Amino acid sequence: MSIYHKVRAVERVFYQLEKEVGSFQKSTGLGCVAGCGKCCTKPDINATALEFLPFAYSLFKNGEAELYLDQLNNDRSTTLCPILNSILSPGEIGFCSDYAHRGLICRLFGFSAMLHKNNKPTLVTCKPIKEGKTEAVLHAERHIAANKNYPLISDYYMQLRSIDASLGEELYPIRIAIAKAINAVLGYYAYRRPPRGTKVA
């Protein structure tokens, strides 16, 4: 499968997840606390390279992949996500500088469930939501316990692995995952004609 088709396959998984998360949020009232962004500032976020393939492909198409990779490799001062906006400008509603191309972990956290002992699904959310939206959290927990529709983390990671096991299997610190995604795109196009419309770096 070409890189382009892998990117499109990942985007289809993301599209399905967006629909499922939206339905889950609508049914439960669960949502982020305005202006929070604490999950984005965790220094130990792990991700697969595959979930950032659309981001890497977008960088490549815009002629920015090599420069971005150099900056990633040269900046050892932080473990934070490189897509993070540390300061919100007026009018910005979130901390992600490329929200459309955020990873799977970014889309799942806060509004999904994972299986615990005896395969019991449990809500995965954050402290600010638990403390600031207690009624919605209780509603979401009841919703999950009743086996109604909700995003299950393991299902979505299995869908990713089915697209590309080598890029979708192993979890890395988020900066390394993004670097591996960029390297995968650059390596693929090293001896192939770039997609139409690709800007020259």
Side-chain angles (χ1 to χ4, degrees):
M1 188 187 297
S2 71
I3 283 286
Y4 171 81
H5 287 102
K6 288 177 187 179
V7 167
R8 293 294 169 257
V10 172
E11 289 175 339
R12 284 193 293 274
V13 172
F14 287 172
Y15 177 73
Q16 177 58 39
L17 174 58
E18 290 298 304
K19 286 173 38 178
E20 194 168 15
V21 166
S23 174
F24 182 60
Q25 289 179 298
K26 187 175 180 180
S27 297
T28 62
L30 205 62
C32 288
V33 175
C36 178
K38 284 190 175 179
C39 58
C40 303
T41 59
K42 281 177 59 64
D44 57 350
I45 299 171
N46 290 326
T48 65
L50 188 59
E51 62 197 272
F52 283 100
L53 203 65
F55 174 68
Y57 185 78
S58 173
L59 289 175
F60 181 77
K61 287 269 293 179
N62 289 320
E64 301 168 350
E66 291 185 13
L67 177 60
Y68 201 96
L69 184 61
D70 285 344
Q71 290 171 342
L72 261 182
N73 290 335
N74 292 330
D75 184 6
R76 307 285 183 186
S77 65
T78 181
T79 59
L80 293 177
C81 175
I83 311 174
L84 173 69
N85 271 334
S86 55
I87 299 173
L88 285 184
S89 300
E92 290 181 328
I93 59 171
F95 286 83
C96 185
S97 66
D98 199 339
Y99 191 76
H101 295 118
R102 69 199 187 281
L104 182 62
I105 185 61
C106 316
R107 297 165 189 268
L108 284 166
F109 187 74
F111 313 108
S112 59
M114 66 185 302
L115 297 178
H116 281 290
K117 291 179 182 176
N118 302 320
N119 282 335
K120 181 182 177 183
T122 305
L123 178 68
V124 176
T125 194
C126 62
K127 187 176 179 181
I129 290 177
K130 286 178 181 175
E131 292 178 350
K133 304 201 171 187
T134 52
E135 283 300 317
V137 168
L138 290 172
H139 193 174
E141 289 172 341
R142 288 193 294 267
H143 183 96
I144 290 169
N147 280 324
K148 295 183 179 176
N149 290 336
Y150 55 86
L152 187 62
I153 291 174
S154 56
D155 284 353
Y156 281 95
Y157 275 101
M158 283 196 325
Q159 287 182 55
L160 276 193
R161 283 195 294 274
S162 72
I163 296 167
D164 185 318
S166 64
L167 292 175
E169 179 72 35
E170 193 165 350
L171 292 168
Y172 301 95
I174 196 163
R175 296 176 71 87
I176 295 174
I178 291 171
K180 285 183 175 293
I182 296 171
N183 275 318
V185 174
L186 289 173
Y188 182 84
Y189 286 111
Y191 300 102
R192 291 177 175 88
R193 182 179 297 173
R196 185 177 299 170
T198 300
K199 295 178 182 176
V200 178

